[in-house]
Amino acid sequence: MSSPEHAQALRPEKVLSESNRKSCIERLQSYKLLKIENYNESIQEAAVLVPLCIYKGELGLLYTQRSIKLTSNGGQVSFPGGMRDKCDANLEETALRETWEELKIPKEKIDVWTTAMLILKNDVNVMPVLAYIGEVEPEQLEINPDEVEEAFVVTLEKLCDPTLHAYTRFKNFRLCLPAFIGGKYRVWGFTGMITHIVLECLLPDVYKHKIQQVNFLRKDTSGEVEAKPSTKQNITLSKI
């Protein structure tokens, strides 16, 4: 349960205000997570839209559950998005096109705030694109059943509730990422990491889910993936 101060800070008029939007954009554009060294244009690129929306009068983020028909990460929670096509002028266009293909949300309804840093995931550089899409009823969206099983919203109140925070540890990579358990499905992994970044930039005075130990993956000059451990300890790990 949020405090009266947090409830006030989460009001749409506060979060969507021009001043908060400007501050969020500045934080997101300067956010340092993965520094991609020796950038190679031959590496594939992708983009995801991070859709800030209003659902039943509350602000939240719109997620999708990937179709179980998909061979890659089928059934997992994600943001709408995908690989860049040759016809895409840039990665922002990729995110908008994929959102239309998956959820039939037209780009005219999407108010793009900013793009974030490229994040390296499985040999693909992925760019998050933060946008506001207005009021949404996920049950009424025209989802593409070949790509999406379901669309759902998790409110900002639940995403910021510390009692609904968890961690997912990836033992093979000595990697630990934030997870969120307040919605219909668990938000974790790469999508959980993007959610964490956006909330830190959007609601720095409310969102307090701190990562106590994280080993970020990065490519070295030989192309090998390495894990760099943090010096901080005492982390609570969730089980998956």
Side-chain angles (χ1 to χ4, degrees):
M1 184 70 66
S2 61
S3 67
E5 293 80 10
H6 284 181
Q8 181 67 26
L10 293 173
R11 291 176 62 85
E13 55 267 33
K14 175 71 172 179
V15 179
L16 300 175
S17 68
E18 188 60 33
S19 60
N20 192 61
R21 171 176 172 148
K22 181 179 178 180
S23 297
C24 174
I25 291 172
E26 291 175 351
R27 294 187 195 100
L28 197 54
Q29 290 181 342
S30 62
Y31 198 100
K32 302 300 182 185
L33 176 61
L34 298 182
K35 182 180 179 182
I36 300 178
E37 301 176 1
N38 302 313
Y39 178 76
N40 187 340
E41 291 185 354
S42 65
I43 295 178
Q44 288 185 302
E45 293 182 327
V48 296
L49 191 77
V50 184
L52 181 63
C53 65
I54 293 180
Y55 176 54
K56 295 183 177 180
E58 293 188 71
L59 275 172
L61 295 180
L62 177 67
Y63 297 90
T64 66
Q65 181 191 30
R66 290 170 59 84
S67 172
I68 58 175
K69 302 175 185 176
L70 298 173
T71 57
S72 176
N73 301 319
Q76 292 187 10
V77 169
S78 67
F79 289 116
M83 301 300 298
R84 181 175 183 174
D85 280 354
K86 292 181 179 179
C87 64
D88 297 332
N90 50 48
L91 287 171
E92 180 181 316
E93 286 294 321
T94 300
L96 297 177
R97 174 184 54 77
E98 287 284 346
T99 301
W100 169 254
E101 292 178 1
E102 293 181 17
L103 302 174
K104 288 295 184 288
I105 299 175
K107 65 180 182 180
E108 292 78 15
K109 186 181 178 181
I110 301 174
D111 177 18
V112 174
W113 284 22
T114 188
T115 57
M117 81 301 285
L118 286 168
I119 305 174
L120 185 63
K121 180 196 178 191
N122 298 333
D123 296 321
V124 177
N125 287 328
V126 183
M127 177 175 284
V129 179
L130 177 62
Y132 175 61
I133 62 172
E135 293 190 19
V136 169
E137 293 186 27
E139 303 86 357
Q140 302 300 319
L141 290 173
E142 188 180 344
I143 64 174
N144 179 350
D146 291 329
E147 298 189 50
V148 177
E149 202 73 26
E150 186 177 354
F152 64 99
V153 173
V154 184
T155 65
L156 294 186
E157 181 180 3
K158 288 185 176 180
L159 289 171
C160 292
D161 187 342
T163 66
L164 300 175
H165 291 164
Y167 293 94
T168 303
R169 182 174 184 178
F170 297 83
K171 295 182 179 179
N172 290 342
F173 300 110
R174 296 187 300 163
L175 181 68
C176 185
L177 295 178
F180 304 85
I181 56 176
K184 186 172 183 179
Y185 302 102
R186 181 190 185 99
V187 178
W188 64 288
F190 190 70
T191 302
M193 188 71 247
I194 294 176
T195 299
H196 172 79
I197 293 169
V198 167
L199 292 174
E200 280 201 321
C201 297
L202 183 67
L203 300 164
D205 296 330
V206 179
Y207 178 71
K208 301 299 181 182
H209 191 11
K210 299 300 181 183
I211 303 174
Q212 295 176 297
Q213 179 179 347
V214 176
N215 303 309
F216 294 117
L217 298 183
R218 113 175 7 171
K219 288 267 187 168
D220 65 17
T221 56
S222 67
E224 295 296 322
V225 174
E226 61 178 352
K228 293 188 176 295
S230 167
T231 57
K232 296 183 180 180
Q233 304 295 326
N234 301 322
I235 188 167
T236 300
L237 302 179
S238 63
K239 297 180 181 179
I240 60 172

